[in-house]
Structures are given as structure tokens and as C-alpha cells.
Amino acid sequence: MISFQNATKYYENKPVLKNIDLSVSKGEMVFLTGPTGAGKSTLLKLLYASELPDEGEVTVGDFNIGRLRPAEIPLLRRSIGVVFQDFKLLENLTVYDNIALALRVRGRKEKDIKGLVLEILKNVHLRHKSDNYPLTLSGGEQQRVVIARAMVSEPSVLLADEPTGNLDPDTSKHVARLFYEANIHGTTILIATHNREMYKNTGKRVVRLENGVLLGEEIG
Amino acid sequence: MEHLSYSTRTAFHSLMKEKWINLLSSLTVAASLLVSAMAIITIFNLENFTRTLPERFTMVVYLQDSVSPEDTQKLIGQLKNKDYVSGTKYISRDQALNEMKRTLKDVSNVLEGLDENPLSSSIELKLKKESVTAPAVKKISEELKKMPSVGDVYYEAKIAETVYLLKTSIENMSIIILCIISFVVLFVISSTVKILLYRRKTEIEIIKLLGATGGFIRAPFLIEGGVIGFFGGIFASIGATVFYYSLTTSFSAFMPILKTMVLPVEIVVLLPIAGLVMGVIGSLISVGRLRL
Ligand SMILES: Nc1ncnc2c1ncn2[C@@H]1O[C@H](COP(=O)(O)OP(=O)(O)OP(=O)(O)O)[C@@H](O)[C@H]1O
Ligand SMILES: [Mg+2]
């Protein structure tokens, strides 16, 4: 489903990802870990074509990231749900509309949207904040809105960048459970995280990235 | 069509949020459209006016003194057959003299001691509208002068020239004005939308990351441009109506001809539509260039 073959990415002539070889099969759940600045976010950005690889090949499903036609970019992104590290919520939309936007860009009917949004809001325990604007929410609440937006469209691939960075241990556990549930239902998931609790004793692959280089993997 | 209601809501949200920019741009559009409306009203009325000019135009054919009644009848018949003549009126020299006496009634001593009628018989010609142009009239008068029995041909050259000049210059002017105004309106709206695009740059970046297509991103801006143009058109319609009533009421005291001015109703309806269409096109110019 996801594969990197010898992929390299430069920022201002400095390599931030070097000869990455990694593949995640359909329905798999993989964790990506490593110190700050290792290149985790950059690796995920390549997958939703926010950045393009300078060398090597990156593919997601049938999409070859280095060779996307402009019209394919929205199609690629609609097959993916992303939990952005910096949230990327729209300040002038309510929590409800922020989450609904993920369905609207996918052309879903308004009458279906309401049920789906309210249900996912319940799952992240934010049903009562549906009419709030993002800036009136705590960091942890905003993070759960981002998670809800990424999951509401039930994408076949879910990418999460530090999804528990702003959450207390209990809420982190709850969010982790949401990811596992999605994975059980067949979603391919790649999660970048420092949070050891998230992958400890899960039996999932944990890939370690340092200085833009993959240092191998272990089972969590 | 599915995301239309979302686009509309986004458009109106942005219209309200950036209300000062949008109002300013709407008023600029209104001013431009108002100028073109005033031009159209003026042109329309000048056209109306010049249309009545050919009806007022007469060409007088003076007969030679020696012409017999039969030749006169024959000439009238020939003139009636000309395809540029719409009517003829024969005025005998006696009628002409009576007419003159009547108009000079108060100063009748002018005509005293006149033992012979110095006037000629004449035929007044009305010409078909399309023949009342300076070159055509000149050609006709030359043609008529060559006919037997005709002494001289007289006409008010200025009227024919004026009609011709007015007509061509009005047409040219209206084309130039409409071109300039369309350009101005498109420029104003596309610049406004460019500002709106710039202000919503981060928002657009995020929506793109969520997988939105170009159409999804562009639609609110097209609606917004259309609304700005539409309101510009409404303001201009109001302005044009006020302009018209102040001309026909207040100013007609100084210039009575203004009383006969007509406000074409179509213009009041067309301005908002023109604004809407140009708004969408202007917005398309900016938003079409958007790299997605
Ligand atoms: N747009 C950019 N321009 C230049 N350098 C960048 C850019 N984005 C990231 N970098 C650099 O690339 C390296 C990897 O950044 P990245 O954000 O991928 O790290 P990360 O592993 O996600 O870190 P963290 O755990 O803190 O989120 C860093 O050294 C960063 O400074
Ligand atoms: Mg990061």
C-alpha cells in the first residue's frame, strides 16, 4: 500500500531523508519513531504529496508520488486521512464544519454528513463542542478535532503525525484505541510518534528514523 | 453541485468578513457601471432625437418660371417614383405669395408696390430616412438639378450633416465607452478577488491538503465576484434612476429639451445582470490563474 524505494529528500541541498526503503502492506499498522528533527514529518509529507521526493520512488496505492499529474493530487489526498502535527484547522469554521469539510471535499451529500460528523465527535468525546471555534478549544481538544477530521471519511490510509502530542495519558490511550479499531476494519495506518506508550506491547512494527536514515525496526 | 451550498456559505461568510474591501469594490464597479449607464442613456436619447431629424428634413425643388401645368404634373409624377422620396407637396407661386403675405402681415408694407409675383412654384420633398445623410442628399440634389423643368434645389445642408455625424460619432463613442468600462469592471473585480485569495491563502492551502479539487476551491470566489458585481449593478441602477429624475425634473428648468428624455427600462434590469456576469468573469481571471 505504501512503499519507499531508495527515496531521498533534500531541503536546501541538505538531505533530510536519505535512501529510505520502507513498505507498509495493506491493512498493516506501523509506527515511526525517532528524535526530533529526524525527518518523521517529512516522510509523511511525501505520502500526501505535500513534498515530492528528489530521488527514488514513493508510492501510495496506485499513485506514484514523484509522477503525479495535477489532477491526481486531489484523488490521492482523498484516499488518505492525515492528522497533521500542526493541526491545520480552519479558524473561521466551527468544529462541526472543520470535520464536515473532509466529507465535503469528497463530494458527500449534506444529509449523510451530519450523522457521520456527530458520530465521530461522540467517539472523540467532543460532541458538546461541535459549535465551538478551534481557537476556543484546548490543545488536546483541537488535536482530537484533527483526529476526527482525518478519520471521518474512513480513508483507506491513515497518517498520523504525533497524534497524542497534546494529550494526557488517559486520552492518549483512548485515541490509540480509535486507531486500533480503524486498523481492525482494514485501514492502513502509519503513525509518527515519540510516545512509547502508544506502541508498547502492541506487536506492531516500530520503525526507527534518525538523521534522515532508517535505523531498522523492532516489534513493539 | 453537491458542494454548492457549502460554497455559497463560504462565499457569504467571506463577503461579510471582508465587507469593507467588498463594499469598496462594489462601489467602484457601481461607479463604472453608472458611467456606462449615463453614456447609454445619453446615446439612447440622442438616437431618439436624431431619428426624428430626418422627418423634419425637407428638400425644396424650385421650378423654372416657364414650366407648363402638364410638365409640372409630369415632374411630380417622376419625383414620386424615385425610391428615395417618401412624399411630395406642390406649392404654386400664388400659394407661396399668400403664405408670405400671411407671415409678413404686420409688416405688409414690405410687399406694397409689388405688382408682379417674384416667387417660383416649388415642390417640397420628404426623403426616406436612410437617404438623409450628407453624401446621399448631395447626390440627390445634383440629380434633381439635372432634370428638365427644375430651376434650383434647396435644402438645409446642416441637418443632413448633423444627423450623419451624430449617428456615426454616437456609435463609435458607445463602443469605446463600453469597452473601457468592461475593462475597468473586470480589472476591479479581478483585483479584489486577488486580495481575497491572498487573505485566504493559508485556508486554501489547508483545503488543498484535504483533497479539494480546483472547482471546489474556486467556486466560493466565483460566487463572491458575482455578488460584488451584482450589487455594483444594483447601486448603478439606483444611481442611473436618480440621475435620470434629477435631469428631467430639476435641470429641465434650464434645458427644456431634457424633459423629453427617456429612461430605457432595460438598463435598470440589465445593469445588475451585467455586473453579475462581469463579476464572475473578473473573478475567473484571478482564480483561474490559481495554481492548484
Ligand atoms: N520546509 C523546510 N525547509 C527547510 N528545512 C526543513 C523544512 N521542513 C523541515 N526541515 C528540516 O528537516 C528536518 C526534518 O524535519 P521534520 O519536521 O521532518 O522532523 P520530525 O522528525 O518530524 O521532528 P519532530 O519530532 O520535532 O516533529 C529538520 O532538520 C528540519 O529543520
Ligand atoms: Mg514532526
Side-chain angles (χ1 to χ4, degrees):
Chain A
M1 194 70 182
I2 293 173
S3 104
F4 291 82
Q5 287 163 41
N6 217 10
T8 298
K9 175 69 192 172
Y10 297 93
Y11 276 134
E12 291 142 11
N13 296 323
K14 276 192 301 207
V16 289
L17 291 175
K18 287 170 232 166
N19 307 100
I20 301 291
D21 277 302
L22 174 70
S23 78
V24 178
S25 354
K26 195 165 162 32
E28 216 184 343
M29 181 168 184
V30 174
F31 291 90
L32 182 63
T33 184
T36 178
K40 302 182 296 295
S41 296
T42 307
L43 189 145
L44 294 181
K45 281 177 186 167
L46 290 176
L47 295 175
Y48 54 89
S50 171
E51 297 289 350
L52 300 179
D54 294 308
E55 287 159 25
E57 301 257 304
V58 177
T59 59
V60 176
D62 295 330
F63 298 102
N64 184 324
I65 305 300
R67 276 182 253 137
L68 288 174
R69 283 181 285 113
E72 283 177 322
I73 294 176
L75 296 177
L76 163 76
R77 290 176 179 166
R78 278 185 250 167
S79 68
I80 302 176
V82 185
V83 179
F84 301 98
Q85 188 170 16
D86 57 352
F87 299 171
K88 297 196 190 299
L89 289 169
L90 298 182
E91 292 170 14
N92 57 354
L93 295 186
T94 60
V95 165
Y96 178 93
D97 279 326
N98 262 288
I99 298 171
L101 191 56
L103 297 168
R104 290 183 175 129
V105 299
R106 287 168 170 83
R108 299 289 291 268
K109 291 191 172 57
E110 285 299 323
K111 67 170 179 356
D112 301 339
I113 288 177
K114 188 160 188 191
L116 290 168
V117 174
L118 293 183
E119 172 163 356
I120 197 88
L121 272 174
K122 208 169 68 195
N123 288 344
V124 296
H125 302 324
L126 283 175
R127 180 67 188 77
H128 58 297
K129 296 284 185 183
S130 116
D131 293 331
N132 281 52
Y133 286 89
L135 294 181
T136 68
L137 301 181
S138 74
E141 287 167 338
Q142 290 181 37
Q143 185 145 45
R144 279 177 286 150
V145 176
V146 181
I147 292 166
R149 182 180 63 185
M151 295 182 118
V152 71
S153 61
E154 300 184 340
S156 53
V157 176
L158 198 53
L159 305 175
D161 198 347
E162 215 61 70
T164 57
N166 291 278
L167 303 180
D168 60 50
D170 280 350
T171 316
S172 294
K173 250 180 229 146
H174 174 69
V175 163
R177 203 151 46 234
L178 291 177
F179 284 116
Y180 286 116
E181 263 166 39
N183 181 239
I184 286 167
H185 288 102
T187 310
T188 308
I189 302 180
L190 183 55
I191 299 175
T193 185
H194 300 287
N195 184 354
R196 202 178 294 267
E197 294 298 318
M198 243 198 132
Y199 51 79
K200 210 173 65 185
N201 302 323
T202 56
K204 305 288 185 192
R205 288 167 64 200
V206 180
V207 180
R208 187 160 181 85
L209 190 68
E210 242 171 75
N211 267 324
V213 181
L214 275 186
L215 290 184
E217 58 183 77
E218 54 188 23
I219 299 298
Chain B
M1 286 298 116
E2 206 64 84
H3 55 253
L4 199 66
S5 74
Y6 164 77
S7 309
T8 315
R9 279 197 294 136
T10 308
F12 281 92
H13 190 279
S14 160
L15 278 166
M16 291 316 293
K17 194 176 169 208
E18 310 285 355
K19 52 183 168 297
W20 297 116
I21 295 178
N22 291 327
L23 186 65
L24 192 66
S25 129
S26 234
L27 289 176
T28 317
V29 170
S32 325
L33 287 176
L34 185 60
V35 171
S36 69
M38 295 198 293
I40 291 170
I41 293 174
T42 313
I43 287 160
F44 183 85
N45 282 283
L46 276 174
E47 277 264 350
N48 258 354
F49 178 66
T50 57
R51 210 172 294 137
T52 64
L53 280 182
E55 287 155 24
R56 297 185 203 170
F57 180 82
T58 15
M59 189 177 257
V60 186
V61 178
Y62 290 102
L63 304 185
Q64 290 165 1
D65 286 344
S66 55
V67 180
S68 68
E70 296 83 56
D71 283 345
T72 306
Q73 282 313 311
K74 208 172 113 195
L75 180 63
I76 292 174
Q78 279 171 339
L79 290 175
K80 273 188 176 146
N81 280 338
K82 300 280 186 197
D83 49 12
Y84 46 78
V85 172
S86 66
T88 61
K89 186 178 164 200
Y90 174 69
I91 297 164
S92 73
R93 50 195 305 208
D94 296 337
Q95 279 171 326
L97 186 62
N98 286 337
E99 176 73 13
M100 186 180 253
K101 278 182 177 155
R102 221 179 53 219
T103 46
L104 298 180
K105 196 165 60 212
D106 301 331
V107 283
S108 51
N109 54 342
V110 174
L111 296 173
E112 264 168 30
L114 209 70
D115 39 341
E116 205 185 317
N117 184 349
L119 302 176
S120 306
S121 304
S122 62
I123 302 168
E124 277 184 21
L125 296 183
K126 287 282 180 198
L127 298 186
K128 297 238 171 81
K129 220 183 268 175
E130 57 274 16
S131 300
V132 187
T133 65
V137 165
K138 193 157 178 249
K139 225 178 92 200
I140 290 171
S141 93
E142 258 142 38
E143 183 190 330
L144 294 179
K145 271 182 200 163
K146 289 195 199 103
M147 291 175 74
S149 323
V150 172
D152 201 2
V153 175
Y154 171 83
Y155 61 93
E156 190 77 62
K158 279 223 178 79
I159 290 190
E161 271 164 28
T162 313
V163 170
Y164 185 70
L165 265 177
L166 271 178
K167 250 192 137 58
T168 46
S169 55
I170 284 170
E171 274 159 16
N172 292 340
M173 228 174 56
S174 48
I175 291 171
I176 293 171
I177 289 179
L178 290 182
C179 284
I180 294 175
I181 296 295
S182 310
F183 181 80
V184 168
V185 170
L186 290 182
F187 180 77
V188 168
I189 292 186
S190 70
S191 309
T192 309
V193 169
K194 216 176 280 169
I195 295 171
L196 297 175
L197 272 176
Y198 186 77
R199 293 210 164 184
R200 285 172 53 195
K201 223 167 86 183
T202 23
E203 198 181 324
I204 291 172
E205 280 308 313
I206 294 173
I207 299 174
K208 273 160 66 176
L209 286 177
L210 296 180
T213 57
F216 187 92
I217 293 168
R218 289 185 179 108
F221 291 99
L222 298 186
I223 295 173
E224 218 170 327
V227 171
I228 292 171
F230 181 73
F231 277 100
I234 292 207
F235 295 148
S237 279
I238 296 171
T241 314
V242 170
F243 167 72
Y244 167 73
Y245 280 109
S246 57
L247 273 191
T248 47
T249 56
S250 326
F251 289 98
S252 60
F254 312 109
M255 282 179 79
I257 194 167
L258 290 177
K259 233 189 198 98
T260 64
M261 263 188 59
V262 180
L263 176 71
V265 184
E266 291 88 341
I267 203 159
V268 179
V269 180
L270 273 178
L271 282 174
I273 297 175
L276 177 85
V277 171
M278 287 201 250
V280 174
I281 295 174
S283 169
L284 202 57
I285 291 172
S286 281
V287 134
R289 272 195 239 127
L290 197 65
R291 268 193 326 119
L292 293 172

